[in-house]
Amino acid sequence: MNRSILIIAAAAFALAGCDAAGPGREDQPSNEAAASASESQPAYSIRPVDTAVVAVANAAPYGQYLVDGQGRALYVLEVSEQQGDPTAAAQRCTDACLGEWPAMFSRGAPGAGDGVDGGRLGTVERDGGAQVTYAGWPLYYYVADRQPGQVSGHHVSDRWGEWYLLSPAGEVIEAGGEANQRAVTTGSDN
């Protein structure tokens, strides 16, 4: 009888853990990204901070590119709809997209590190808070980057568009080889 109670309790605990994100949530990373991310959790947080800092890193073949205050690469989603409208660009990455490409959020005005033009920093309101923008580009992380200096999200082409590093001049960096085509088969189109 005690064994039956333990089995029921274990099943209830497992179901509660599975449902913690809510039924039908599609903003979880794809199986590929989730498996990749679970292999080694990052030592830094991608949760909103009081003042997000945008800084500059330098690495061949990319040259100078934007990173957060901990040196983690920041990416932009290049889509034709962007055209200087950060709200439209931010609306392109929702739900499952945010599971793989978490937005950079800041509770207060974002700060400029060395080499960053503070006048190009801004925010766009979206579900979850104020997403940091640079030169009109909403900024994102990539879940497969596990430590500062990694740029595995650069030149990735997936169902949401093409992802690139961004220069301190606010320009997409296309250096770094051919596009990394990724097949994403879970979640919705957003």
Side-chain angles (χ1 to χ4, degrees), residues 1-98:
M1 182 167 191
N2 287 340
R3 185 172 186 214
S4 297
I5 293 172
L6 286 174
I7 292 171
I8 292 170
F13 179 74
L15 287 174
C18 290
D19 198 37
R25 288 275 306 260
E26 295 178 336
D27 61 349
Q28 300 303 312
S30 71
N31 291 337
E32 176 185 309
S36 178
S38 67
E39 290 173 8
S40 172
Q41 293 298 319
Y44 39 79
S45 173
I46 55 175
R47 292 189 174 97
V49 295
D50 289 335
T51 302
V53 174
V54 177
V56 175
N58 191 356
Y62 317 109
Q64 292 187 326
Y65 61 94
L66 299 182
V67 296
D68 70 3
Q70 297 175 352
R72 186 168 181 199
L74 296 169
Y75 300 94
V76 296
L77 173 58
E78 187 177 57
V79 293
S80 60
E81 298 88 33
Q82 198 268 340
Q83 299 174 356
D85 180 0
T87 302
Q91 290 171 349
R92 182 77 176 134
C93 184
T94 61
D95 301 324
C97 178
L98 289 173

Side-chain angles (χ1 to χ4, degrees), residues 22 36 106 126 133:
S36 178
S106 185
R126 63 179 300 154
T133 63

Side-chain angles (χ1 to χ4, degrees), residues 73-146:
L74 296 169
Y75 300 94
V76 296
L77 173 58
E78 187 177 57
V79 293
S80 60
E81 298 88 33
Q82 198 268 340
Q83 299 174 356
D85 180 0
T87 302
Q91 290 171 349
R92 182 77 176 134
C93 184
T94 61
D95 301 324
C97 178
L98 289 173
E100 291 190 44
W101 301 93
M104 180 189 210
F105 287 109
S106 185
R107 289 187 192 102
D114 289 341
V116 172
D117 178 356
R120 294 177 188 248
L121 285 170
T123 59
V124 61
E125 289 299 319
R126 63 179 300 154
D127 289 343
Q131 182 175 3
V132 178
T133 63
Y134 191 79
W137 293 94
L139 300 177
Y140 299 88
Y141 295 100
Y142 185 47
V143 295
D145 289 346
R146 290 183 185 69

